[in-house]
Amino acid sequence: MKKSISLLLFGLMFISLGALQAEPASLRQTTDLAADAAIAKRAGVPLMLIFSADNCIYCQRLESEVLNPGIASGQFDNRVLMRYLNIDAGGKINDFDGSRIRNRLFVSRYEVFA
């Protein structure tokens, strides 16, 4: 009886720890477009790059009301690989060809603004 209770408690503890460590399904930010493109190619799905800005209420609403619920529900599984790029972020990212490029130069290449 004691052994059964101990195993049950251990099992519950293991399940609880797994639930705490599980990352919620949500839109992931990218800084490596070459790696993301390779993942999408191997999966046979398109890569959807979503541009976002810090103070863009439309970007935040799209993410919270459409994209994250769709990702969490599995609606986009095996259909598309989605990543977002913050156009306000500084620094460099890996471009599609693997070269390092300033985030702002990448954004200006595609004439993105928010």
Side-chain angles (χ1 to χ4, degrees), residues 7-26:
L7 286 174
L8 177 63
L9 289 175
F10 178 76
L12 289 173
M13 182 181 74
F14 182 76
I15 291 169
S16 297
L17 287 174
L20 290 174
Q21 293 174 351
E23 185 177 326
S26 61

Side-chain angles (χ1 to χ4, degrees), residues 74-95:
Q75 176 182 357
F76 304 118
D77 289 356
N78 303 316
R79 293 184 178 175
V80 64
L81 178 66
M82 283 190 277
R83 296 290 189 261
Y84 82 90
L85 181 69
N86 184 339
I87 67 171
D88 294 329
K92 292 186 175 184
I93 61 171
N94 287 338
D95 202 346

Side-chain angles (χ1 to χ4, degrees), residues 30-40 42 47 94-99:
T30 187
T31 57
D32 192 343
L33 297 166
D36 291 330
I39 292 168
R42 280 193 304 272
L47 171 63
N94 287 338
D95 202 346
F96 288 108
D97 65 0
S99 64

Side-chain angles (χ1 to χ4, degrees), residues 51-52 85-89 93 101-113:
F51 294 92
S52 182
L85 181 69
N86 184 339
I87 67 171
D88 294 329
I93 61 171
I101 184 172
R102 291 195 181 279
N103 188 28
R104 298 216 183 268
L105 289 175
F106 181 83
V107 169
S108 67
R109 179 192 312 158
Y110 293 100
E111 300 178 9
V112 176
F113 63 92

